[in-house]
Amino acid sequence: MATSGAVGEGYSGLNGFVSETEHKIMTDLPAELLEYILCFPVLKHVDICNVSCSCKRLHDVCHGRGKVWGHQYKLRWPRLQKHYRQNECCDWLKEYRTRHTVGLQIRRTVVSISKRFFTEVPCVGQVLGDSFAEIESLGAPEHFCEDELLSILNSDRRKSLTLKYYAKKILYFLRQQNILRSLKMFLEQPAEQQSALEGAVLVDQYCNPLADVSLDGISSQLEEITDKVKKMLRMKNSSHPSLRVTQGDCFAVEDFELERQVVVALNAVLYEQLQYKGNECDYYNPLNSYIHQVLLRRTGIPISLSVLYMTLARKLGVQLEPVNFPNHFLLRWCQHQRGSGDIYDFVYIDAFGKGKQLTAKECEYLIGHQVTADYYSAISTTEVLLRMVGNLLNIGKRGISSLREGNEKSYQLLRDSLDLYLTINPDNVQYLLLQARLYFHLGIWPEKVLDILQHIQALDPSQHGAVGYLVQHTLEHIQHKKHPVEPEVKRRSAAEHVEVQYSVGLIMKHKRSGYNCVIYGWDPKCTMSQEWITTMRVHQLSSGANQPFYNVLVQDGTCRYAAQENLEPHSAPLEIAHPEVGRYFSEFHDSHYVANEELQTRYPEDMAETLGTVRDLYHRLTPSSGQASGQQESPKGPGGSSQDQKSQENKEAMPM
């Protein structure tokens, strides 16, 4: 950028008179105009650095607290603007440098995790200590880290899959830690100040930390429903006191008939106008427990619909109480003097059953057996959350036990719900033991497993048998990690691998089950236990266990071990939406996945084979290949070796 060029030149008049030439250079311009020029969108931070070094005048214009660096900061990191007040004056150059440094460190951290933990189930909390200590030493705000992780996740959808995989795990972990801190603060509040809705939102946020869920957003949606109920109420009773209630007011209707009018209007809006209902068809779907999904899908289970119903009723002045009824969460509505302990002084509302009102006796018909009076008592917000989290925990266990080959989502749900439950009730021995067993089973964070076991032993010495077994094997695991075994390298050229037809990265279809999947590993023969072979009826296959088996990531989120005779290349390759794809692959390349550096180390000859297979199966030849233009090459078996198909001429003619 020229800083000393002439702004005005001399000119000749009609009489040939030449006026005195006026020379103006850029630095003579007013500071406001220079700032305007230097905020032009095409200029990057490097340009501003160069300009500011050219002379003192421009260096002063580009000072750290000025508009120029403020513009550069906002241009590069627009998501961070919400963290600053409008027209806030701060050292934008310092902010820029700090954010840039944090970004570089975050990317180094993400890359290092891929190399260090490819062979294990990565537990981010276990591995971030040293890396984030370095970031914290910069004194940077936490949202800088989050913004860089989001930048990684929002880059080209098909590329940098491994970087995104670990960035997502780090972001998941960081947000969960913030939510746990909020939950602990929430639990420290006096019981009467705890809101069931706020607790439900915290549970929702913890299990869905990457979703856009906030208490303000949920409350805003409930206000819209409240306005609809008020509109309905106004049609029946234009002088109803609930109509005068504004957002945030603490108000209670004292007259029973006025309460009844609110409940009738609420039922009409919620179940007739908005069509909310209990999800009987897909009861065990975890989405039924997340309040933002209940509002989005207008369906849920008894406890989530009860929290919604109770919150709306209280906004309109009707005080309902949660009831921890077995197998079917309910609300109770006092029909007589408040504070009554007689279960027959209450009507029980079934939010799952469209707001149906039940007597104490009718409640027992819901579950098919009698219960004691204790089950009709009102419970605290903390107990509501324990019930809600307990439901999620059971769904996680149910998902794992119903799948022979495990589901990443079910394991994650079980881990998340255990974290929540033990935050609310940290001394529950049953769930502490379950958490220790889960971590041990997954092979993650053995040091934390020992801490959990030590806590269990202190709480309940009678558990010494189970604790001792886990301690012994956990210590063996820690010792084993100190002397890691080099991963097995599988070369296709080895004689024992001659029957392996397919290679990592290929998109496959299961001939019998019909599922789509991608190969991320293989064995020349089945390596599973005899029990697994018997359970999966491998002996019924034509080649039994004596054939290659493949580790595959399936579209439904499961990881399976499939026999070669049951797989075939997909006729129209497509992306596999599996959460673990990024752990093994760096990119989706139209017809196949590209193995990342770690997977290529395990299978060093597979990528060349994958490229050859993809070329032979899906790519057309160019005219220079010796075949007719546009004619598709006849497919060969992926393990074939036809010389004309392998010729150098054809290789050069088929661009990948």
Side-chain angles (χ1 to χ4, degrees), residues 330-479:
L330 297 170
L331 299 169
R332 72 178 194 178
W333 174 25
C334 188
Q335 307 291 291
H336 299 284
Q337 185 177 0
R338 295 191 187 281
S340 171
D342 189 341
I343 65 173
Y344 297 103
D345 286 346
F346 294 87
V347 162
Y348 299 87
I349 296 177
D350 179 11
F352 185 81
K354 297 189 175 182
K356 185 177 181 181
Q357 297 175 19
L358 307 167
T359 64
K361 195 66 181 173
E362 288 171 329
C363 291
E364 294 178 347
Y365 297 150
L366 276 176
I367 59 175
H369 61 84
Q370 291 184 328
V371 295
T372 62
D374 293 343
Y375 286 104
Y376 292 91
S377 301
I379 61 171
S380 67
T381 297
T382 299
E383 291 171 301
V384 172
L385 296 188
L386 284 174
R387 172 89 175 242
M388 183 173 280
V389 173
N391 287 339
L392 288 168
L393 205 152
N394 289 327
I395 292 170
K397 290 195 291 186
R398 180 188 179 94
I400 291 169
S401 63
S402 65
L403 292 164
R404 292 192 182 99
E405 298 183 58
N407 184 307
E408 173 70 14
K409 291 181 180 179
S410 295
Y411 278 117
Q412 188 65 59
L413 178 59
L414 186 54
R415 286 173 61 182
D416 291 345
S417 52
L418 278 170
D419 287 345
L420 286 168
Y421 199 100
L422 291 170
T423 299
I424 302 168
N425 185 8
D427 294 337
N428 186 297
V429 172
Q430 175 191 353
Y431 288 135
L432 281 168
L433 196 55
L434 178 58
Q435 187 179 54
R437 284 173 171 157
L438 177 65
Y439 277 39
F440 176 77
H441 171 72
L442 295 175
I444 58 177
W445 213 341
E447 293 79 11
K448 181 165 183 174
V449 173
L450 291 178
D451 290 341
I452 297 169
L453 294 172
Q454 187 177 9
H455 186 45
I456 294 170
Q457 188 66 37
L459 291 171
D460 185 1
S462 68
Q463 297 288 339
H464 66 273
V467 169
Y469 173 84
L470 287 171
V471 167
Q472 178 187 343
H473 286 81
T474 301
L475 289 172
E476 290 175 0
H477 177 57
I478 292 174
Q479 194 63 30

Side-chain angles (χ1 to χ4, degrees), residues 120-136:
E120 304 178 28
V121 177
C123 187
V124 175
Q126 176 188 1
V127 305
L128 287 185
D130 295 339
S131 299
F132 271 80
E134 198 173 326
I135 294 171
E136 288 172 1

Side-chain angles (χ1 to χ4, degrees), residues 489-529:
V489 176
K490 296 180 179 178
R491 298 185 181 277
R492 308 184 64 82
S493 56
E496 62 270 25
H497 299 154
V498 67
E499 294 183 6
V500 178
Q501 292 186 6
Y502 306 124
S503 50
V504 297
L506 287 177
I507 311 295
M508 310 296 288
K509 190 178 188 68
H510 197 278
K511 295 177 183 177
R512 298 187 181 187
S513 303
Y515 62 71
N516 303 322
C517 59
V518 57
I519 296 172
Y520 70 96
W522 48 259
D523 297 306
K525 302 287 185 290
C526 181
T527 60
M528 299 298 277
S529 66

